[in-house]
Amino acid sequence: MKKWVALSALLLAAMLVASGCGGGDKKESSPSPSASQAAGSSAGEAKAITIDATNFKFDPGEITVKQGDEVSITLKNSQGNHALKIEGYDKEVKGNATVKFVADKAGEFKIVCSIFCGKGHEDMVSKLIVQ
Ligand SMILES: [Cu+2]
């Protein structure tokens, strides 16, 4: 029993180390909107966003970028089989792939799942806000 506890603690530590230097594509851990505003809030930045899809939800449910930003959206299918479509931008990405485009139109664009994935399919919505 003691061995098992030690082993799982070791595993946990290893996982923490791995995630610490592994997930370089995630940019959500930067809670400093004031810092970017202070830097001049320039448009045309590269924004890499990962949307996590499960049954039946997109996370995050809202993405905000600036007009002119180079947006790269990666859809990660954590559960089920989903695809993502940005209405108004005519962009689509299937699970575990990335779509890149320039957010040249301002406004709010509905993001929907474009694969019928089951009973909660209609609930799979997110939103792209281009300011
Ligand atoms: Cu769906």
Side-chain angles (χ1 to χ4, degrees):
M1 191 64 188
K2 259 189 177 170
K3 249 186 189 171
W4 165 244
V5 171
L7 191 70
S8 48
L10 226 143
L11 268 170
L12 193 70
M15 274 161 68
L16 282 172
V17 170
S19 66
C21 54
D25 55 340
K26 276 196 183 169
K27 250 210 124 183
E28 56 205 7
S29 57
S30 53
S32 55
S34 53
S36 65
Q37 270 168 9
S41 65
S42 57
E45 286 174 54
K47 293 255 169 70
I49 296 142
T50 299
I51 295 187
D52 193 67
T54 51
N55 294 336
F56 297 93
K57 191 172 173 254
F58 284 130
D59 184 28
E62 196 177 288
I63 302 159
T64 305
V65 300
K66 294 198 189 77
Q67 192 173 8
D69 279 352
E70 246 180 80
V71 181
S72 129
I73 294 177
T74 301
L75 176 66
K76 194 177 139 213
N77 273 343
S78 290
Q79 183 188 44
N81 184 27
H82 310 281
L84 167 164
K85 193 176 169 192
I86 306 169
E87 292 181 350
Y89 263 95
D90 226 17
K91 296 292 173 197
E92 190 173 13
V93 60
K94 301 242 156 69
N96 306 315
T98 302
V99 64
K100 285 184 188 175
F101 59 96
V102 175
D104 51 2
K105 282 182 282 187
E108 288 190 13
F109 304 90
K110 197 177 174 192
I111 297 175
V112 297
C113 176
S114 55
I115 291 178
F116 184 75
C117 50
K119 215 171 182 320
H121 175 67
E122 305 293 325
D123 300 329
M124 297 201 62
V125 285
S126 183
K127 192 162 52 168
L128 172 69
I129 302 168
V130 183
Q131 295 174 330

